Amino acid sequence: MSKVITLLGSTGSIGTQSLDVCRMHGYEVFGLSAHSQTDKILQQIEEFHPKYVCMTDPDAAAKLDAALSGRAGAPKLLTGPEGLRELAALDGPDVVLNSVVGIAGLPAVMAALEVCERVLLANKEALVTGGALVMEEAARRGVPILPVDSEHSAIFQCLQGGQEPERLILTASGGALRTWSREAIQRATVRDVLKHPTWRMGGKITVDCATMMNKGLEVIEAHYLFGMPEAAISVLVHPQSVVHSLVEFADGSLLAQMGVADMRVPISYALGY
């Protein structure tokens, strides 16, 4: 049976890879949202024919409105942060996949929990800023939240055997400055910081990798997703990036998932779970 999906943040890396998965499996796209990339979302509208779209930037919304004017079968346009929340709350999709950047994703997650069978989360800030609220509402409504970020998807999959975990281990590449001395780091340039040794990603996440800030956020995210105390969540610098995450059980055994560069793998798993 085909799934019906609303994708929040459809023009970013996670969003475009999610649409690759929708294309591969023939999933119906109910709604799309973006911040300001009008040309890119127009291409997505022409291919996937959503019923609703949202542009959160006012100027981009006006541009998209003009481009859609007079088109037969054009989707209904929603605008601004309130439009994003309204899109997430619309009854119709089975799944809302949230890959919005920043705290803007929090109201959308809360709204999606009211109407969806599942919420797929690639917006860690929603849990960093409102994890208790999100998880309590999800539990109250009986709606599972499935992580799409590779590290947390790996932990989620390792926990499907039913054993109680003793410790969660998130791996980190260490970023561009991993081998630098403290003194050298003080002189690092933007170009230095953006030379990630393993992955090619957006600027912000590449900087967050170099400072390890992203792992701090991921520890908070794991705490809320899996109900583990922070003291039972470790970070292991693993420059080879072969393993995404590990779970240690009471008997001392470890279960790990091998890393993959393609985010379509955890996205496909979460959509098909």
Side-chain angles (χ1 to χ4, degrees):
M1 183 177 178
S2 179
K3 292 181 174 63
V4 183
I5 297 163
T6 286
L7 176 55
L8 309 180
S10 67
T11 58
S13 175
I14 296 293
T16 54
Q17 290 182 77
S18 299
L19 287 174
D20 288 344
V21 174
C22 291
R23 186 185 298 112
M24 184 188 313
H25 295 288
Y27 296 153
E28 178 186 343
V29 176
F30 181 85
L32 296 172
S33 86
H35 179 61
S36 60
Q37 295 194 56
T38 310
D39 293 341
K40 198 165 186 178
I41 202 168
L42 268 172
Q43 295 172 0
Q44 294 173 349
I45 290 168
E46 289 171 358
E47 178 178 0
F48 292 96
H49 308 290
K51 293 180 173 64
Y52 293 86
V53 296
C54 175
M55 297 298 292
T56 54
D57 178 77
D59 293 335
K63 182 179 177 181
L64 183 61
D65 189 30
L68 293 174
S69 179
R71 289 196 183 195
K76 181 177 179 180
L77 176 61
L78 306 171
T79 62
E82 180 56 34
L84 183 67
R85 194 207 66 78
E86 182 181 347
L87 176 60
L90 287 172
D91 195 8
D94 308 304
V95 177
V96 169
L97 196 163
N98 186 347
S99 63
V100 172
V101 175
I103 195 173
L106 176 57
V109 169
M110 298 299 287
L113 288 171
E114 299 176 10
V115 296
C116 289
E117 296 177 4
R118 283 175 293 159
V119 172
L120 275 53
L121 197 58
N123 167 243
K124 61 172 60 70
E125 293 88 352
L127 292 182
V128 170
T129 59
L133 292 173
V134 172
M135 299 311 294
E136 286 170 10
E137 183 67 6
R140 188 177 74 84
R141 293 184 176 273
V143 176
I145 293 181
L146 277 63
V148 171
D149 281 341
S150 54
E151 293 86 353
H152 298 84
S153 176
I155 291 172
F156 180 83
Q157 293 178 57
C158 289
L159 291 174
Q160 295 311 297
Q163 287 180 274
E164 287 294 321
E166 285 284 309
R167 185 163 64 114
L168 307 181
I169 304 169
L170 300 167
T171 61
S173 68
L177 309 181
R178 180 183 63 83
T179 61
W180 290 38
S181 69
R182 182 176 301 211
E183 292 73 20
I185 288 173
Q186 299 299 317
R187 299 189 297 272
T189 67
V190 172
R191 178 174 292 183
D192 293 329
V193 172
L194 292 175
K195 288 181 180 177
H196 195 285
T198 310
W199 312 117
R200 289 192 175 187
M201 305 175 292
K204 181 183 183 302
I205 185 60
T206 304
V207 171
D208 287 349
C209 284
T211 63
M212 295 289 285
M213 176 63 73
N214 69 314
K215 289 300 153 181
L217 299 180
E218 287 176 12
V219 167
I220 298 170
E221 186 180 6
H223 161 67
Y224 285 114
L225 278 171
F226 307 112
M228 293 288 286
E230 289 91 340
I233 305 171
S234 303
V235 174
L236 174 68
V237 176
H238 171 48
Q240 298 83 2
S241 300
V242 175
V243 174
H244 270 157
S245 291
L246 306 94
V247 177
E248 182 177 350
F249 299 99
D251 62 359
S253 63
L254 289 165
L255 191 59
Q257 188 195 67
M258 306 301 282
V260 290
D262 194 337
M263 282 300 297
R264 294 171 186 85
V265 175
I267 292 167
S268 293
Y269 182 87
L271 283 171
Y273 178 77

